[in-house]
Amino acid sequence: VKIYCANQAQFESFSEEELGAMAERLGELTEEVAAADAELAETLARNKALLSTPSNVNLGAAVEDAKKSLVTKRASLEKLTSGNVRLISRDELQAMQTKLSSTVKVWRKRKRAAMELIGEIADSMDKKPSVLVEEIGLERDEDAGVNPDDFVVAPPAKRPRLA
């Protein structure tokens, strides 16, 4: 391994005063860069804020959309407050959901039992269950376009509290 060193005699040497002046100038330039960076960050933040607000053209469209939404919501509110619609309480809604859930469970249980019975009868007759269903004219849920899974009740959504 060889190490080469440059001849230091060929370079200009600086006095302590010159080195102090250079250090002082370096400090000034560092402060200027920091100030420019702060100004740049402030300008970028202001630019972002301005870009996030709608322009005059977009603002007009946003106002029109808000007016349409207001008209729709006022009509809905008028319909609800007119007395022609019966409002139900949370307890009534919960009771209806519970009844629907239990009815769907019974429906699934009976459907499963009926299909097992059809399968047993089809096995004893050496036929496919689908052929037997067609021969006896049994209407299945799928034929009527109904599925028990469509009646699954989701829990009611929590309403945000108004301050």
Side-chain angles (χ1 to χ4, degrees):
V1 174
K2 293 184 180 183
I3 298 176
Y4 296 96
C5 293
N7 185 359
Q8 298 296 314
Q10 71 185 13
F11 298 115
E12 178 182 352
S13 62
F14 296 103
S15 67
E16 290 295 322
E17 293 173 357
E18 290 174 325
L19 290 175
M22 285 183 191
E24 190 176 309
R25 178 71 177 139
L26 179 63
E28 291 172 4
L29 290 175
T30 304
E31 288 176 7
E32 286 180 29
V33 168
D37 284 344
E39 185 179 346
L40 175 65
E42 181 183 325
T43 304
L44 288 174
R46 192 167 144 224
N47 187 26
K48 184 177 179 181
L50 288 173
L51 289 175
S52 67
T53 59
S55 66
N56 289 344
V57 174
N58 295 342
L59 190 59
V63 168
E64 288 302 315
D65 289 343
K67 285 181 180 178
K68 289 177 186 176
S69 175
L70 179 64
V71 168
T72 304
K73 289 180 180 183
R74 280 188 176 159
S76 177
L77 178 63
E78 179 63 32
K79 191 186 305 182
L80 290 173
T81 57
S82 67
N84 295 336
V85 177
R86 180 180 176 266
L87 301 177
I88 61 172
S89 68
R90 288 190 187 271
D91 294 336
E92 290 174 311
L93 179 63
Q94 186 67 34
M96 285 184 219
Q97 289 175 336
T98 303
K99 182 165 175 58
L100 179 62
S101 292
S102 64
T103 303
V104 169
K105 282 182 187 176
V106 170
W107 178 7
R108 285 191 181 119
K109 185 176 178 182
R110 289 180 182 175
K111 178 180 178 178
R112 186 174 34 254
M115 292 313 292
E116 286 176 6
L117 182 62
I118 293 291
E120 292 295 324
I121 294 171
D123 281 345
S124 67
M125 295 175 66
D126 292 329
K127 293 183 177 183
K128 290 185 178 180
S130 58
V131 172
L132 181 61
V133 165
E134 285 192 30
E135 283 183 5
I136 61 175
L138 184 67
E139 183 180 6
R140 297 179 300 167
D141 295 335
E142 294 80 17
D143 298 335
V146 180
N147 185 357
D149 294 332
D150 294 341
F151 295 95
V152 173
V153 178
K158 298 276 184 183
R159 286 189 184 174
R161 290 188 178 248
L162 299 177

